[in-house]
């Protein structure tokens, strides 16, 4: 037998997302990246702890980035790395880290795969400006790279490109113990079971129990989601929830 | 003739959204409220400046709320006001404002419209706990109210209920000058026009010009969105963008 993994005793690997873009705040563009990244990170055992959305303003990006990058294992940014004047993320990240920014020969080489020299104009060259000390994140969709500096991963805002970049980044990330999750469909209204559910939650401190009401074809219903890093504690709490649901159904409908 | 409105000279009315919920951060539930509220506020002349998503943890909710409520005209929260143990938003808001929280007779009356006394159990009564000094926000969908305290509006996370609450809140809000917006479809790739677009942006300081690439049936294309509070300045910038697009199309394709 191999030695058991010590991962369960390590501190959790955490993350925050910083979405950068006026178009999200105006409502013109509906964000599709937060939910995608959240699910992606959960699936590899990284806990997303916070999300912020800020406008295309230097001070706002710098102060949000500096507030979150010290709090979490990783930060993922989306948006603001295109070829136009409103794309200021790279400059803001350089400013937040206190490093210089310049045209990066590696990034120029990547863009040269797509654009002949006469199309590599000032605007497109803007996408090759990378903060000093950063590693590039390859972009298989449209070539212009993202980058990683410190614990911050700077990615595109276009979902297809962001997703391709996240696939490149994933193998480089330290991952934690995946949080296990089981859902119990109650067949009851949320308010019917809130009191016994709270007692179960209090009795199972190493689990997190969420309650999510929804409408089914038969009327109001509730999904009870139990989450834990520890499979045994998870199953104990799930069993308690299942037993409670059976009892409450009998009491209310019997 | 009536006197011209002074609204154009008033400071903008601003807002932030605080989304509260583990289920958004785990990716289990995909947020639908941010985009809806963003568009709603833009349409009534309120500028959304920031969004934060935080977990169902007291300290996180309190510190995020206190950070943003002093910065913006209004704050809108979603989530965490249901009947179960993980619904702690009302307590967190009371804590952030330093006020007490108790069962509110007005809220009890609202819930009594829906639930007979034997169903108004401890869990459902939890939804009638309201911070001292708050006004209630009626909930036409499921009766349990939201509330307003200071500049903070506390709303449900279920989109249909949140939307009904926002309709109730809207007439009470101070609104600004609606930001006008015009979109010019370039018929060109973003990188083709980044340089002349930056010059136009620099020459029209009272406008904000965004550039949003997309794929159309004919290949890569770009929407150029010009925004301003001033209709005359908007049209001047739009005309400059349109002329630039015509010139660049001729240069690149002619």
């Amino acid at each position: 037998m191999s030695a058991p993994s010590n991962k369960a005793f390590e501190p959790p690997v955490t993350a925050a997302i910083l979405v950068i873009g006026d178009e999200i705040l105006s409502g013109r563009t509906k964000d599709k990246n937060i939910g995608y990244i959240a699910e992606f990170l959960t699936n590899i055992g990284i806990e997303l702890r916070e999300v912020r959305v800020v406008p295309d303003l230097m001070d706002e990006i710098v102060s949000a980035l500096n507030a979150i990058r010290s709090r979490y294992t990783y930060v993922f940014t989306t948006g603001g790395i295109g070829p136009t004047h409103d794309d200021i993320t790279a400059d803001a990240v350089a400013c937040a880290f206190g490093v210089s920014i310049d045209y990066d020969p590696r990034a120029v080489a990547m863009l040269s795969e797509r654009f002949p020299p006469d199309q590599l104009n000032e605007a497109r060259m803007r996408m090759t400006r990378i903060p000093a000390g950063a590693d590039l994140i390859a972009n298989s969709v449209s070539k212009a790279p993202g980058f990683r500096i410190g614990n911050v991963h700077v990615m595109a805002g276009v979902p297809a490109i962001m997703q391709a970049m996240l696939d490149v980044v994933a193998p480089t990330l330290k991952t934690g113990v995946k949080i296990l999750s089981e859902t119990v469909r109650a067949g009851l209204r949320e308010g019917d079971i809130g009191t016994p559910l709270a007692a179960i939650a209090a009795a199972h401190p190493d689990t997190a129990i969420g309650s999510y009401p929804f409408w089914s074809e038969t009327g109001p219903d509730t999904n009870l989601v139990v989450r834990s890093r520890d499979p045994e504690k998870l199953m104990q709490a799930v069993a308690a929830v299942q037993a409670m649901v059976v009892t409450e159904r009998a009491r209310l409908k019997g």
Side-chain angles (χ1 to χ4, degrees), chain A:
Chain A
M1 276 176 68
S2 61
S5 162
N6 283 322
K7 268 196 170 181
F9 304 101
E10 289 170 9
V13 182
T14 61
I17 299 173
L18 181 62
V19 175
I20 299 160
D22 289 351
E23 71 279 18
I24 305 295
L25 293 170
S26 75
R28 185 182 182 281
T29 301
K30 303 295 181 287
D31 171 79
K32 294 191 178 101
N33 291 329
I34 296 171
Y36 183 93
I37 299 172
E39 205 170 337
F40 189 101
L41 294 178
T42 297
N43 284 337
I44 59 173
I46 296 177
E47 270 184 51
L48 180 62
R49 292 271 180 92
E50 182 173 351
V51 178
R52 297 196 190 187
V53 185
V54 296
D56 298 315
L57 291 172
M58 182 67 69
D59 289 353
E60 296 294 325
I61 302 169
V62 171
S63 70
L65 187 59
N66 279 337
I68 57 178
R69 71 187 176 94
S70 59
R71 288 195 73 189
Y72 306 105
T73 317
Y74 298 117
V75 172
F76 300 89
T77 79
T78 65
I81 61 168
T84 55
H85 63 282
D86 54 336
D87 291 303
I88 61 170
T89 297
D91 288 271
V93 172
C95 178
F97 277 85
V99 300
S100 61
I101 180 167
D102 206 346
Y103 298 103
D104 185 304
R106 300 167 301 173
V108 175
M110 287 172 171
L111 272 193
S112 298
E113 291 173 28
R114 184 170 163 208
F115 297 105
D118 66 312
Q119 287 188 25
L120 216 46
N121 57 21
E122 183 186 333
R124 292 202 173 95
M125 282 296 286
R126 200 174 156 76
M127 295 191 285
T128 70
R129 295 176 71 251
I130 304 288
D135 296 323
L136 302 190
I137 300 171
N139 166 357
S140 57
V141 178
S142 61
K143 298 302 174 190
F147 60 86
R148 181 198 63 77
I149 181 168
N151 62 340
V152 177
H153 299 80
V154 175
M155 306 189 295
V158 175
I161 303 176
M162 188 286 294
Q163 292 168 19
M165 288 180 173
L166 202 53
D167 285 336
V168 171
V169 166
T172 72
L173 300 174
K174 179 170 65 172
T175 54
V177 179
K178 187 177 165 181
I179 295 186
L180 304 166
S181 170
E182 288 285 337
T183 299
V184 178
R185 182 168 164 174
L188 292 165
R189 294 176 296 184
E190 194 179 28
D192 291 332
I193 49 179
T195 306
L197 189 71
I200 293 171
H204 294 81
D206 289 328
T207 65
I209 304 182
S211 170
Y212 307 108
F214 66 100
W215 279 84
S216 75
E217 63 288 352
T218 57
D221 201 339
T222 311
N223 276 325
L224 302 173
V225 179
V226 185
R227 304 173 78 225
S228 179
R229 282 204 179 72
D230 183 319
E232 198 168 325
K233 289 176 175 166
L234 178 81
M235 292 323 296
Q236 288 166 355
V238 167
V241 169
Q242 285 169 329
M244 178 275 285
V245 165
V246 169
T247 305
E248 294 301 312
R249 274 195 208 143
R251 191 175 67 79
L252 290 159
K253 300 183 175 174

